[in-house]
Amino acid sequence: MSLTGIVSIALGAILIENFIFSQFLGICPFLGVSRKVDTALGMGLAVTFVMALASVFCWLVNTLLLVPLGLTYMQTVAYILVIAALVQFVEMFLKKSIPSLYQALGIYLPLITTNCAVLGVVLLNTQKNYDFLSSLVYGVTGGIGFLVAIVLFASVRERMDLTSDCPKSFEGFPIALISAGLLALAFMGFSGLKVF
Amino acid sequence: MNVKKQFKDGLITNNPVLVQLLGMCSTMAITTTLFNGIGMGISVIVILTCSNIVISLLRKIIPSTIRIACYIVVVAGFVTIVDLLMQAYLPSLSESLGVFIPLIVVNCIILARAEAFASKNGIAASALDGIFQGIGYTLVLIVMCVIREFLGNGTFGGGLLGQEGAGIRILPEGAAATFLVLPVGGFLTLGCLIALMQYLLRKSEEKKGGEDK
């Protein structure tokens, strides 16, 4: 795996094909946990961590177990089980070692299991036939892309809650979606970016 | 069992996308042509109904501490079935929906209905709930598809009608606002739809409140 390849995967995952703004993966936590910048940051870090771990473990499960046994049609089921186990593990780890973050994330921590960004990154790794290193890089940078998006969006929302005067029907979710749309429009600017 | 109420709940007053705000990812991602929307909608109806039935059957057996994991396995099984069937019989649809078919596993609508309805109600009611909630989801998908395709591409029924599935051209070429088919359009269209829904629900509540007085 050449350095250029890694850089292009990384740039692609963070900016050009950002998981949220261009692939629509992980919208639920993106809209749900973006009221405050601190919790958004914690959520983004937790998701990045799980995505990296999930990429590694699912790659291992796929190459060492499913492919040799001819069970590739069980991919979806196997992946979701791996992810659920990982999230459980992260939850126990956080509870023991960083209880403050554990409490801040609350209900959203177990919900990482059903974050489509996590399952999405794993499925995309398989679909694109990435090798071990590329999978890891894609997992980590995809998570960073999620982190960047959710922190940016949380800052916008914090500001908006304080100052905006929006029509009654647009209060809450609709206005959040519209502002996310405008952010996505900004991220479209990266689509012209080419690596080497 | 109240079929009429369930029907109204699923389609309008408790619509999974517009009111419960579930399943956003797929709603925004795949609604670029009518064909995609209908295909995705039907898959979700089938999976939601089947998983609701099975979970309702198993509701007394599944221990509550590990229920979410059990639900996910049940759902993942049905999703795999639908995914393989679609790859075999509708390869073009399977290709254009791509990773979003296996991602139905983590579609919040299905888990939410399992948790909120199927785990507490009988088989028949759960099956009906699956069908109606699924139809509610499909309706939103179709509305989104029609709006985005018409304004963004100037056509109607892409993938289904017209020559080679290009859709019937309504607006002249070049007159359409291409950004609506792009990700941005997904956010904007759904935002406006939910706003419209909130407006309508508020209006009907005000009307009811007025009658009560």
Side-chain angles (χ1 to χ4, degrees):
Chain A
M1 191 73 214
S2 62
L3 189 66
T4 1
I6 292 178
V7 172
S8 83
I9 291 179
L11 267 185
I14 300 177
L15 298 176
I16 307 165
E17 289 193 323
N18 186 289
F19 266 74
I20 291 187
F21 293 132
S22 89
Q23 308 202 38
F24 293 111
L25 295 170
I27 303 285
C28 302
F30 173 71
L31 292 169
V33 208
S34 54
R35 290 200 174 277
K36 284 208 174 121
V37 176
D38 335 342
T39 36
L41 192 65
M43 183 69 183
L45 288 174
V47 168
T48 311
F49 185 60
V50 175
M51 271 168 85
L53 280 182
S55 303
V56 170
F57 278 95
C58 290
W59 188 87
L60 289 174
V61 166
N62 191 36
T63 359
L64 299 181
L65 270 178
L66 297 179
V67 173
L69 294 177
L71 285 173
T72 41
Y73 59 90
M74 291 292 283
Q75 256 165 9
T76 317
V77 181
Y79 288 170
I80 194 77
L81 285 177
V82 171
I83 292 170
L86 275 176
V87 171
Q88 191 74 46
F89 180 74
V90 169
E91 197 181 342
M92 289 188 315
F93 174 77
L94 281 182
K95 202 175 177 181
K96 278 262 162 70
S97 50
I98 322 175
S100 58
L101 183 59
Y102 174 78
Q103 255 156 21
L105 290 177
I107 175 74
Y108 287 101
L109 194 57
L111 281 183
I112 296 179
T113 314
T114 55
N115 183 337
C116 17
V118 180
L119 187 59
V121 80
V122 177
L123 287 167
L124 286 172
N125 275 336
T126 317
Q127 217 174 55
K128 294 183 178 176
N129 272 326
Y130 278 163
D131 59 15
F132 182 75
L133 192 59
S134 312
S135 299
L136 176 62
V137 171
Y138 196 51
V140 173
T141 51
I144 295 175
F146 180 85
L147 178 71
V148 169
I150 198 171
V151 171
L152 279 176
F153 184 56
S155 331
V156 171
R157 264 183 107 173
E158 259 187 9
R159 182 69 59 94
M160 210 164 57
D161 279 349
L162 288 177
T163 54
S164 77
D165 178 23
C166 81
K168 210 170 173 201
S169 303
F170 274 91
E171 267 169 20
F173 248 73
I175 195 72
L177 279 173
I178 304 274
S179 35
L182 294 178
L183 266 178
L185 196 61
F187 263 72
M188 258 172 70
F190 291 117
S191 63
L193 202 64
K194 254 193 189 152
V195 190
F196 309 106
Chain B
M1 202 165 84
N2 192 336
V3 179
K4 213 172 153 191
K5 187 178 168 294
Q6 275 190 319
F7 180 74
K8 206 179 149 204
D9 258 6
L11 263 59
I12 305 164
T13 48
N14 205 10
N15 185 291
V17 182
L18 297 181
V19 181
Q20 299 180 58
L21 308 170
L22 299 169
M24 300 278 180
C25 308
S26 51
T27 312
M28 287 189 268
I30 54 100
T31 48
T32 45
T33 62
L34 192 60
F35 188 49
N36 277 359
I38 294 178
M40 185 73 181
I42 292 175
S43 332
V44 169
I45 295 179
V46 171
I47 294 168
L48 186 55
T49 313
C50 296
S51 66
N52 259 5
I53 293 174
V54 171
I55 287 164
S56 152
L57 274 173
L58 296 174
R59 70 183 188 279
K60 294 201 176 94
I61 307 169
I62 297 177
S64 69
T65 41
I66 54 158
R67 63 183 192 286
I68 302 287
C70 297
Y71 298 161
I72 288 184
V73 175
V74 171
V75 177
F78 284 114
V79 170
T80 308
I81 295 172
V82 168
D83 189 17
L84 293 177
L85 281 176
M86 197 179 275
Q87 279 176 24
Y89 294 105
L90 288 167
S92 65
L93 182 62
S94 166
E95 203 164 294
S96 76
L97 292 177
V99 78
F100 281 93
I101 287 291
L103 279 179
I104 297 178
V105 179
V106 287
N107 190 322
C108 330
I109 296 178
I110 297 177
L111 275 182
R113 290 327 286 176
E115 171 78 4
F117 198 91
S119 60
K120 298 189 187 81
N121 289 283
I123 300 161
S126 302
L128 278 179
D129 181 70
I131 295 173
F132 293 148
Q133 294 281 338
I135 294 176
Y137 173 74
T138 312
L139 277 183
V140 177
L141 284 189
I142 291 176
V143 171
M144 291 266 299
C145 287
V146 169
I147 295 177
R148 284 179 75 185
E149 207 192 320
F150 174 63
L151 294 177
N153 207 9
T155 55
F156 174 78
L160 277 181
L161 309 165
Q163 280 173 341
E164 289 168 4
I168 298 167
R169 184 153 286 287
I170 299 170
L171 292 177
E173 224 158 312
T178 321
F179 79 98
L180 272 168
V181 211
L182 297 173
V184 189
F187 284 108
L188 295 184
T189 318
L190 189 59
C192 294
L193 270 184
I194 295 178
L196 179 70
M197 193 69 190
Q198 286 190 352
Y199 174 76
L200 291 177
L201 283 180
R202 212 178 60 231
K203 273 279 134 83
S204 80
E205 250 166 47
E206 273 169 13
K207 211 172 162 193
K208 259 185 215 158
E211 277 164 7
D212 285 344
K213 280 167 201 167

